Structure formats: C-alpha cells, structure tokens
Amino acid sequence: MDNESAGFGAKDRETEHMSSDNQQPFVTDSSNVATDTREARLAGQDDRFNSRLREAFGSSPFILTKFDKFMNWVRGSSMFMLQFGIACCSIEMMHTYAVKHDLDRFGAGVPRASPRQADVIIIPGTIVSKFAPRMKRVYDQMPEPKFVIGMGSCTISGGPFQEGYNVVKGAEEVIPVDIHVPGCPPRPEALIYGVAKLQERISNGESAPVVVKPYELEQFGDLERDEIVDQLSKEIDTEDLVMRYNWADSP
Amino acid sequence: MSVELPDTTGVAEQSPEEIADLLGDLVIGREEHLNAPGFVIKPDTVVETLKRLRDDAGFDHLSCVTAQEYEDRFESIYHLTKFDDRTQEVSIVVPADKENPVSQSANEVFRTADWHEREAYDLVGINYDEHPDHRRILLPETWQGHPLGKDYDQDQPQVVPLREHQNPLLEDQQADNQSETMYLNIGPHHPATHGVLHIKAVLDGEQVVDLEPDIGYLHRCEEQMCQSSTYRYQIMPYPDRWDYISAGLLNEWAYARVAEDMADIEVPEYAQIIRTMGAELCRMAAHFLALGTFALDIYGDFTALFMYSIRDREKVQNILEDLTGQRLMFNYFRLGGVVWDLPEPREDFFENVRDFLDELPTALEEYHDMMTSNEILQMRTVGTGVLPPEVAKSYGATGPVARGSGVDYDLRRDDPYGYYENLDWDVVTEDGCDNYSRLLVRMREVEQSAKIVEQCIDLLEDWPEDERNIQANVPRTIKPDDDTEIYRAVEGAKGELGIYMRADGTEKPARFKIRSPCFSNLQTLPEMSNGEYVPDAIASLGSLDIVLGEVDR
C-alpha cells in the first residue's frame, strides 16, 4: 500500500512537470489526484491529519469566523509573559514557570526579558513608592494589547504591609489589573488558575476597563502648587517626570 | 558527638571593667543591655572609641548600627563583636542632640558603617559628620521627613521623581578629553539583579570603572510593621517575608531567639530539635535557589540547572509543607517552641525526609558535573570577584560570602543556639576569596545541612512519646520591663541575621531594628567589581546571593 501510494506521488509530480512544460500551470487532472491517500485518510486507516476538529469540519479545511474573534483566541493561546520579579511572590512565580507546574503547558510559559516583547505582566509583590514610577514605565513600554495579572495580596491592597509609610496600596493605584490572584503568596496552582482565567477572558474579548489611575506619571511643572511642591521646586526640574502620592486619600 | 569549636586561644577575653579602663575618659556613662555591656560616649569621639576597641581589644566586627529617637534625645548604637569570638560583645551608645542630631561617622574605622549610617539618617534622621556620602539610601531622595522619627506625619503627600541618572564621572571626563566612559543602568527591572536592585555602572570599554548599588525599591517598612505588632503572635509572620527564598524558618528563629532571650523563655529540647531540622531544610532550599540563579547569571541557562535546582527545591518544599502547612511563608515558630508537632503518621514523614536525603548525593553530583567541574563556569568564576578576608571583615560580610573568603565565622557554632552544639557537623570555609569559592561553600553547606537534618531525624524518631513537648508555657501577653535592650543574631541562609529590640513596658517593641546579612554583603559589590569586566560584575552579584526583601526590609 505504502509503495503504491509513493508510486502515485511520483506519477503526480511527473504530470505536474509535464503540465508546466505545456504552459498550463493551473490545470490539474482531478482523476490523477492521489485518491488512495485520500481514501485512506477518510477511511480512518491513516489518521495523521484527522483531528477531531477536522472531523467536525468535514473534508473542507476552512472555518468562518470574525477576525477579531480569531485574534482574541490567538492572543489568549499564546501569551508572552514579562520576566518581572519584585518580591516573595516571584519565587512562587519561578516555580510556576519551572518543572512540576510548567506554565508553558498552557501556552503562557515563555518569559521575555524585555517589556517590548511581552504582552502580559505578572506583578509579583509589594509595590513601594520608589518602584511604582518604574513599574509604570515598564508597563508603558509594553505594546498594546497588554494584560496585567496581580499576584498576591500586596497587589490587591498592600497586603500585610498596607499600613507602611512607603507602600502603595495595591497595583491598581498605578496600572489597570485584569486578574487578581489572592494569597500570600498564592500557590503555583493558584497562579496557573489565574492565568487560565485571563486566557478565557482574553478569548472572550474582555479586558479591564481603562480608567484614570490615582497615581500617574506627570511633569513636575504640571503639579498643583502646594506646600510640598514649593519645598521640592529647587530639587526637581519642571520637566522631570514625577509621581505624587496622596497617602491620606489612599484606601 | 559535637561540633569542633574554633581555636579562640589567641583571642583575649575582656571583662566590662577592662573595656572601661581601655576607653578611659571617653566613657561618659554606662548602660546594661541584655546581650552586652553598653558604654555611652560623646558624639564626637566615635572614631577614637571604635579604633581603640578594634585595635587594642580585637572588636573587629561592627555587626550593626541601630538608630532611634527618645523623647529627649537621638541615639546611635554600634553593636561590636569579634569574628574570632562571637560571644564577646559590646555596645557603644552615642546620644545626639534632640534639636540638632549630629554624630561622628564611624566610616573611617569600619567601611560597613557607610550604609548603616545612611540608613539611620534616612529613617531616623541623625546626621553623621564626616560621612563620605551622606544621603538617603532606602527612600527616594526627594522624600520629606524621617519615617521612624517621632514627629513623622504618615499622611503627608510625597513626590517621587523618575529622571535620568547622571554619570558621576562625567565631569572628570570633560576635564581631560582622553578617556571616555559610558553610563549603564542595570535594573531595577533586570533579570540579573535578583529582584528590584538598581546598579549604576560606569564603564570604560567593557570594564567597570565605578559601580554603585541603588537600593530601596522593595523597602516595605518591615521595622515599622514589627514596631506596631505585639510580641506574642503578631510579629512572627513578618520575618518570613524578609529573606523569602524559603528561608522563613531561619528568619523566624532570629525573632524567636531575641524575643525568648528578652522575655526569658526556655524552649523545650524536643522543640529545639524540630526547629533545627526545619531551619536546615530551609537553608538547603535557599542554597538550591542560589545555585540555580547563579547558573542563570553565568550562562543564561534557564533550562538544565535552573530546573534541577527547582526540582530539588520542590522536594524540600513538600517536606516543609508537610511540617508547617505552608510552602513559603511558614509562620511555624512560636515563642517558646513551635506551633505543632511533626505530621502524623510520623513514619511517613521520616521516610519522606530520608528519601530526599538519600537522593541528595546523586543530585549534588549532578550539580558538580554541570557546574563546578564545567570549564566554562570555572573560566568565568575562578579568580573573578575577589574579596580579600580583611575587606570582607571591614564591610561586615558574613555567611557564605565571608566563609568563601576564608573567614571562619558561623553563628551556629560561634554563638550556639538551638540544638546545633550537640550535633556533629562542620563549618565550611574556602580560601579562594572568589566567585567560585562562594559557590563551593554553598554546595558544601548543603551537604552539612543534610548531615544535620539526618541526625535530627534520628533523634526525633527515638524521642519518647510522652516527652514530646513542643511549646513552653508562655504567658498570653508579653510585656518586658521598660528600657530593656537586646541585640541577638542567628545564622540565616545569607549570614548573620540580627535583631535589636528595645521594650518600653508595653506589649509592642519601641524599636525593632533588623540587621540584614544581605545589606552588608551587598556593600562589598563595588569592591569586587571595580576594574573587572561587566560579565564578571554580574557573576559577582550572583555569587553574593542577595534577596532584596532582606536588603531593603
């Protein structure tokens, strides 16, 4: 059988060659198609190409869908994470990427070192005043569309450090977050569940609503004049980017 | 069956009176701390006092600098001890004026004072005279106020700039047009910095001319958190989050030890053995990650070695999870013991641990095959990042970093606690002083930890059932007497992890200061990297094995 089909193949190529010689490149003789191979496939003897999907579609390898729906499915199925470690949760995040839990099984396990190549950022840890502007900058450098997973209690509210003088009360003060994974730290299984949920949301075309965050990067000159701005006016140029924390207004 | 004690014959032991005689007129008062005699001196005689203690009495280790504010004064405490005999300690107390707190810097005598005093200025607000680089270290440079001072308003707004950093050598360069340097930011978000560390590097070609670690990107107010929590239960979860590379139990022990000594709590022997076993399992997990990330730094190997180390960490974490109920943040120690006994059935637990220990030699051989005997790794690490022992001591480096420079210093042996002195194990040292030695020290320490765990398992297995006392009888609230002060340290995964506490008669500490080993170890990075190539600087950083949670606290 194998030998025969190979023979047919050789014959096909020969026919093609001849037809190109005849300056009729697009004309094929359908009776000369490798019918045996096709029959073997459809009869189930050779199931190399016959996935469940193929079975559902019949012999025609086409599906009709909306382009944005297709793109959402692609985005959800192949996510490039940013290699971004902050605190304790990043240890569990490393375990999630590595053996045993292996996040790559879900199409989301290739950490990229540069934000310009990544489309998901996992925020694994406490955000403090000195780091928030830098994190905002890293987030801004990621290309659209981008998604954010907040890992651990610190990114929800500041967690155990919420009352600290230096701690930003949750990642959502600075950037929009799509999925919160609670825990201190969440187990790798919990992070995987969060990633799977995010994939589900992405393929459904959902993402976090865009709202103005309490803490934004702005030029020092644009800040409202008050006591602290006056005090700092000698130290900071008006063009310098700054982040202003109003601790009293924080939740 | 006991650990070999260090040779302390050459170290003279001084009584408090002898130290008082040595310091003579410099002493203006005496204090009694639980761990050491305290001598009060004038703020302008710091250098002279410390020099005399270092050169004439052998106090060559400035372990920690604590700063605090009282109602009527500021105070810096220099906790001194000896690398050759850790049990000898002395506290130098330097009061400073309430209105204009100025104190002399100890930087001339101990290089490690540089960062410690910057931190004291940053958080408490004491100014250090003659300090070479007097500015904030943990908080942004535009921060207003000193948060651990008494009159700090936590609700006031703050402005934090995000601006380009300046090349510190730019002016020199413009002066003579011969050399040309390049300024390079590494971090705070960079795979090689092991967290949110920012390194300001100035390069001449491929060589590092000037390198400055910029920390504070994970300063989450651990000291403030502990100062607003009660001794009995509330503080214990926080130490887990200082050195979070699974070293939780080691950190918890630091707090347990200091609080137990302060409140005079005796821990049952059975609980001490469980603690020792748990702590050594944590040390192994922490060292595994150090190996994995070091390999990642050296040859960007995200596949084999990193995965191997994670594989072995998973095994340790499974055992720790059985023991404590948690993978990472254990919260397992209690003052006076541990929270619960070994998991039932005990035989299964012992079998799991034994299985892990049996597989360990094979796993370590694998590491040796792929790391230490790998020619590429040897080329990258042997002879690079050299840290001479004298420099290491001056910077207060401890743990595997000091032991990789041949400094025979390990608190488990030198200032015994727990059950270590009854067990048979060795302190590992290497004389190479380079990145390779520090790697070797960690790998050999894993073997020693395994040896300790094995002995603990044997002891626990044979322990009579009716004597399994896991917790001493500890009162519900602990209120140490007013003005009790103590500084105690344990051997954490990265080195000497110390805590200073001062009680004020309430159930919360008035001052809680953490002496982090990584903080001191990281200070040696410029010393190791200046003049070396960039990749060697990265290797040196990897070999220091820092955790930013502990550096910034």
Side-chain angles (χ1 to χ4, degrees):
Chain A
M1 180 69 178
D2 278 340
N3 287 338
E4 267 183 47
S5 60
F8 267 110
K11 197 177 173 190
D12 273 352
R13 279 198 294 280
E14 207 178 292
T15 337
E16 264 175 41
H17 187 68
M18 278 167 63
S19 53
S20 68
D21 274 352
N22 293 344
Q23 303 294 313
Q24 288 176 317
F26 301 113
V27 178
T28 45
D29 183 0
S30 63
S31 62
N32 268 339
V33 176
T35 37
D36 275 12
T37 316
R38 189 172 61 188
E39 272 159 22
R41 267 199 271 127
L42 290 177
Q45 293 151 321
D46 175 4
D47 60 353
R48 272 175 303 172
F49 305 108
N50 283 349
S51 63
R52 287 271 166 80
L53 201 67
R54 187 76 180 239
E55 232 166 73
F57 290 147
S59 60
S60 138
F62 299 107
I63 49 168
L64 280 175
T65 177
K66 284 192 220 152
F67 187 64
D68 57 347
K69 211 171 170 185
F70 172 70
M71 284 309 289
N72 284 336
W73 172 76
V74 169
R75 267 176 206 135
S77 313
S78 159
M79 303 204 298
F80 279 19
M81 319 301 251
L82 177 63
Q83 188 177 346
F84 185 67
I86 303 180
C88 336
C89 286
S90 53
I91 304 299
E92 289 296 60
M93 190 180 72
M94 280 156 67
H95 277 261
T96 316
Y97 285 134
V99 286
K100 186 170 174 187
H101 298 100
D102 191 10
L103 192 57
D104 209 9
R105 288 177 297 162
F106 305 96
V110 187
R112 313 301 303 178
S114 163
R116 296 182 201 282
Q117 301 169 342
D119 45 28
V120 181
I121 176 172
I122 301 179
I123 305 179
T126 321
I127 302 143
V128 303
S129 68
K130 200 173 175 180
F131 192 61
R134 271 82 185 172
M135 187 181 75
K136 173 83 179 156
R137 172 53 63 88
V138 168
Y139 174 77
D140 288 344
Q141 284 172 344
M142 288 166 56
E144 295 278 359
K146 50 193 166 189
F147 305 94
V148 181
I149 298 174
M151 185 182 180
S153 305
C154 290
T155 60
I156 297 174
S157 63
F161 306 101
Q162 199 203 19
E163 284 156 28
Y165 49 81
N166 191 30
V167 175
V168 175
K169 277 80 184 148
E172 258 181 321
E173 305 272 297
V174 187
I175 58 177
V177 177
D178 292 84
I179 292 276
H180 285 292
V181 184
C184 189
R187 297 175 63 90
E189 293 90 331
L191 181 62
I192 291 176
Y193 181 72
V195 170
K197 274 283 164 197
L198 178 68
Q199 289 176 322
E200 198 181 306
R201 291 192 54 170
I202 294 173
S203 44
N204 290 341
E206 300 164 22
S207 69
V210 178
V211 287
V212 178
K213 293 289 149 193
Y215 301 149
E216 288 282 356
L217 280 176
E218 47 198 332
Q219 286 194 334
F220 186 66
D222 294 345
L223 290 182
E224 243 176 80
R225 305 284 294 184
D226 62 3
E227 204 181 323
I228 188 155
V229 174
D230 286 339
Q231 273 173 19
L232 287 169
S233 56
K234 280 185 203 134
E235 287 180 54
I236 308 178
D237 290 343
T238 46
E239 280 109 57
D240 276 345
L241 284 175
V242 295
M243 194 170 267
R244 187 183 195 279
Y245 298 100
N246 302 313
W247 298 116
D249 303 341
S250 287
Chain B
M1 201 174 94
S2 77
V3 60
E4 199 179 312
L5 285 170
D7 180 27
T8 51
T9 43
V11 190
E13 196 160 329
Q14 289 94 1
S15 68
E17 295 320 312
E18 281 170 336
I19 296 171
D21 286 347
L22 176 72
L23 294 178
D25 303 343
L26 292 168
V27 179
I28 56 168
R30 291 282 287 270
E31 273 185 26
E32 208 48 56
H33 297 180
L34 287 183
N35 61 312
F39 296 96
V40 185
I41 61 162
K42 285 193 190 140
D44 54 353
T45 55
V46 175
V47 168
E48 203 184 336
T49 311
L50 295 188
K51 230 179 214 160
R52 226 180 261 183
L53 283 169
R54 185 190 65 183
D55 297 340
D56 301 338
F59 285 97
D60 56 352
H61 180 26
L62 175 57
S63 179
C64 183
V65 181
T66 305
Q68 53 186 332
E69 187 178 358
Y70 285 88
E71 292 301 333
D72 60 337
R73 64 180 192 279
F74 282 90
E75 196 177 275
S76 323
I77 306 175
Y78 293 84
H79 303 279
L80 291 170
T81 178
K82 298 177 180 178
F83 274 107
D84 293 329
D85 185 357
R86 180 59 176 77
T87 50
Q88 287 190 55
E89 289 176 73
V90 59
S91 306
I92 299 300
V93 182
V94 190
D97 186 43
K98 179 84 175 173
E99 294 308 314
N100 180 26
V102 180
S103 185
Q104 194 181 22
S105 166
N107 191 46
E108 196 187 317
V109 196
F110 294 103
R111 301 294 308 277
T112 185
D114 183 349
W115 277 23
H116 282 281
E117 286 172 350
R118 274 176 71 188
E119 187 195 316
Y121 161 71
D122 192 358
L123 299 184
V124 183
I126 301 175
N127 292 302
Y128 290 91
D129 231 2
E130 300 159 34
H131 193 285
D133 189 16
H134 197 266
R135 59 201 164 90
R136 288 186 181 272
I137 185 165
L138 293 175
L139 292 166
E141 70 261 47
T142 54
W143 199 265
Q144 302 292 305
H146 302 279
L148 296 182
K150 284 222 176 289
D151 55 353
Y152 181 71
D153 171 20
Q154 201 180 319
D155 283 343
Q156 68 169 320
Q158 301 281 356
V159 174
V160 177
L162 174 72
R163 55 186 164 200
E164 275 188 42
H165 298 286
Q166 289 295 318
N167 182 345
L169 300 188
L170 200 63
E171 280 175 26
D172 302 355
Q173 193 180 308
Q174 278 160 351
D176 70 290
N177 281 324
Q178 299 298 313
S179 63
E180 196 173 321
T181 58
M182 187 182 99
Y183 183 69
L184 179 70
N185 281 307
I186 308 175
H189 155 237
H190 188 277
T193 53
H194 295 227
V196 282
L197 170 70
H198 174 208
I199 298 172
K200 302 170 172 179
V202 181
L203 311 179
D204 181 5
E206 227 187 312
Q207 273 173 322
V208 178
V209 187
D210 184 69
L211 184 142
E212 190 206 331
D214 174 24
I215 61 174
Y217 292 95
L218 194 54
H219 173 56
R220 39 190 186 180
C221 329
E222 303 268 14
E223 289 174 9
Q224 182 206 16
M225 292 295 106
C226 292
Q227 278 165 220
S228 55
S229 306
T230 57
Y231 292 109
R232 185 68 175 93
Y233 296 112
Q234 290 180 350
I235 294 179
M236 197 56 96
Y238 283 103
D240 283 324
R241 289 159 179 83
W242 302 342
D243 175 1
Y244 44 70
I245 313 236
S246 277
L249 294 181
L250 297 158
N251 304 356
E252 284 173 26
W253 209 337
Y255 172 65
R257 187 175 190 206
V258 72
E260 281 155 7
D261 281 3
M262 191 180 218
D264 207 8
I265 299 167
E266 197 70 37
V267 184
E269 211 177 338
Y270 180 70
Q272 290 286 30
I273 300 175
I274 299 183
R275 281 181 173 190
T276 310
M277 177 193 68
E280 290 309 311
L281 285 167
C282 281
R283 192 184 309 277
M284 288 156 96
H287 281 355
F288 281 137
L289 194 75
L291 300 181
T293 50
F294 189 55
L296 198 59
D297 289 339
I298 298 286
Y299 24 61
D301 180 3
F302 199 65
T303 47
L305 269 170
F306 185 76
M307 295 299 171
Y308 280 11
S309 67
I310 295 283
R311 173 200 66 191
D312 288 325
R313 269 175 62 84
E314 286 283 358
K315 289 183 193 163
V316 183
Q317 280 188 315
N318 283 344
I319 295 173
L320 284 168
E321 194 182 344
D322 286 347
L323 181 67
T324 67
Q326 263 282 1
R327 271 174 65 89
L328 207 59
M329 302 298 166
F330 308 109
N331 193 18
Y332 179 62
F333 284 16
R334 291 290 179 273
L335 300 188
V338 293
V339 60
W340 46 58
D341 202 351
L342 302 181
E344 294 288 345
R346 290 164 70 92
E347 296 74 38
D348 288 6
F349 178 76
F350 293 133
E351 199 188 316
N352 284 343
V353 181
R354 287 235 162 81
D355 283 351
F356 166 68
L357 294 176
D358 288 345
E359 288 164 17
L360 194 66
T362 329
L364 282 174
E365 206 168 303
E366 243 168 20
Y367 286 115
H368 278 296
D369 284 348
M370 292 190 69
M371 287 190 86
T372 48
S373 51
N374 182 333
E375 208 175 312
I376 300 170
L377 185 123
Q378 287 179 1
M379 281 165 74
R380 290 287 311 277
T381 53
V382 176
T384 61
V386 176
L387 182 70
E390 288 316 309
V391 180
K393 284 181 177 178
S394 178
Y395 276 102
T398 50
V401 176
R403 290 194 284 273
S405 291
V407 180
D408 190 9
Y409 181 71
D410 189 323
L411 267 77
R412 289 175 290 174
R413 178 199 62 195
D414 298 343
D415 184 15
Y417 58 97
Y419 209 70
Y420 288 112
E421 50 185 337
N422 306 319
L423 302 173
D424 177 30
W425 58 284
D426 295 311
V427 175
V428 176
T429 54
E430 289 283 337
D431 294 329
C433 309
D434 53 9
N435 293 336
Y436 190 66
S437 303
R438 290 186 277 276
L439 171 70
L440 276 184
V441 166
R442 290 206 180 87
M443 296 190 68
R444 287 177 51 201
E445 273 184 11
V446 171
E447 289 168 31
Q448 294 299 328
S449 294
K451 209 167 150 188
I452 296 176
V453 172
E454 201 167 11
Q455 294 171 53
C456 290
I457 291 288
D458 289 342
L459 285 166
L460 290 171
E461 212 166 20
D462 300 336
W463 209 263
E465 201 168 340
D466 46 355
E467 286 171 33
R468 290 181 195 157
N469 187 7
I470 54 160
Q471 253 188 58
N473 200 0
V474 181
R476 219 179 158 75
T477 48
I478 293 175
K479 285 187 187 175
D481 295 338
D482 191 10
D483 226 20
T484 320
E485 294 175 61
I486 187 169
Y487 174 74
R488 274 269 180 271
V490 300
E491 184 74 26
K494 322 285 189 248
E496 178 174 345
L497 175 62
I499 295 174
Y500 164 86
M501 279 205 304
R502 174 168 65 86
D504 60 355
T506 64
E507 56 185 35
K508 295 174 182 175
R511 180 78 175 100
F512 191 99
K513 159 81 187 163
I514 307 157
R515 188 265 186 214
S516 136
C518 294
F519 185 76
S520 299
N521 290 352
L522 182 57
Q523 274 191 79
T524 61
L525 183 63
E527 207 65 52
M528 286 155 57
S529 310
N530 285 352
E532 301 257 356
Y533 289 110
V534 189
D536 293 341
I538 297 295
S540 304
L541 179 64
S543 78
L544 283 179
D545 184 28
I546 50 161
V547 184
L548 270 299
E550 199 177 58
V551 174
D552 296 345
R553 282 150 293 144

Coordinates of all heavy atoms in Angstrom, one line a residue, chain A residues 2 5 37 40-41 44-51 54:
Chain A
D2 N 1.8 1.3 0.9 CA 2.7 2.4 1.0 C 3.5 2.6 -0.3 O 3.6 3.7 -0.8 CB 3.7 2.2 2.2 CG 3.1 2.6 3.5 OD1 2.1 3.4 3.4 OD2 3.6 2.2 4.5
S5 N 1.2 4.1 -2.9 CA 0.9 5.5 -2.8 C 2.2 6.3 -3.2 O 2.0 7.4 -3.8 CB 0.4 5.8 -1.4 OG 1.4 5.5 -0.5
T37 N -4.5 7.8 -1.2 CA -4.1 8.5 0.1 C -5.4 9.1 0.7 O -5.6 9.0 1.9 CB -3.1 9.6 -0.2 OG1 -2.1 9.1 -1.0 CG2 -2.5 10.1 1.1
A40 N -7.6 6.6 2.1 CA -7.0 6.0 3.4 C -7.3 6.9 4.5 O -7.6 6.5 5.6 CB -5.5 5.8 3.2
R41 N -7.2 8.2 4.3 CA -7.4 9.2 5.3 C -8.8 9.2 5.8 O -9.1 9.2 6.9 CB -7.0 10.6 4.8 CG -5.5 10.9 5.2 CD -5.3 12.4 5.2 NE -5.0 12.9 3.8 CZ -5.6 13.8 3.2 NH1 -6.6 14.4 3.7 NH2 -5.2 14.2 2.0
G44 N -10.0 6.3 7.7 CA -9.5 6.2 9.1 C -8.3 5.3 9.2 O -7.8 5.1 10.3
Q45 N -7.8 4.8 8.0 CA -6.6 4.0 8.2 C -5.4 4.9 8.4 O -4.4 4.5 9.1 CB -6.4 3.2 6.9 CG -7.4 2.1 6.7 CD -7.6 1.8 5.2 OE1 -7.6 2.8 4.4 NE2 -7.9 0.6 4.9
D46 N -5.4 6.0 7.9 CA -4.2 6.9 8.0 C -4.8 8.2 8.7 O -5.5 9.0 8.0 CB -3.6 7.3 6.7 CG -2.5 8.3 6.8 OD1 -2.2 8.7 7.9 OD2 -2.0 8.7 5.7
D47 N -4.6 8.4 10.0 CA -5.3 9.5 10.7 C -4.3 10.6 11.0 O -4.5 11.3 12.0 CB -6.0 9.0 11.9 CG -5.1 8.4 12.9 OD1 -3.9 8.2 12.6 OD2 -5.5 8.1 14.0
R48 N -3.3 10.7 10.2 CA -2.3 11.7 10.5 C -2.9 13.1 10.6 O -2.5 13.9 11.4 CB -1.2 11.7 9.5 CG 0.0 10.8 9.8 CD 0.9 10.8 8.7 NE 0.3 10.4 7.4 CZ 0.9 10.5 6.2 NH1 2.2 10.9 6.2 NH2 0.3 10.2 5.1
F49 N -3.8 13.4 9.7 CA -4.3 14.8 9.7 C -5.7 14.8 10.2 O -6.3 15.9 10.2 CB -4.3 15.3 8.2 CG -2.9 15.2 7.6 CD1 -2.6 14.2 6.7 CD2 -1.9 16.0 8.1 CE1 -1.4 14.2 6.1 CE2 -0.7 15.9 7.6 CZ -0.4 15.0 6.6
N50 N -6.3 13.7 10.7 CA -7.7 13.7 11.0 C -7.9 14.0 12.5 O -8.1 13.1 13.3 CB -8.3 12.4 10.6 CG -8.6 12.4 9.1 OD1 -8.5 13.4 8.5 ND2 -8.9 11.2 8.6
S51 N -7.8 15.2 12.9 CA -8.1 15.6 14.2 C -9.6 15.6 14.4 O -10.4 15.5 13.5 CB -7.5 16.9 14.6 OG -8.1 17.9 13.8
R54 N -11.0 18.4 12.4 CA -11.1 18.1 11.0 C -12.4 17.3 10.8 O -13.2 17.6 9.9 CB -9.9 17.2 10.6 CG -9.8 17.0 9.2 CD -9.3 18.2 8.4 NE -9.2 17.9 7.0 CZ -8.1 18.1 6.3 NH1 -7.0 18.5 6.9 NH2 -8.1 17.8 5.0

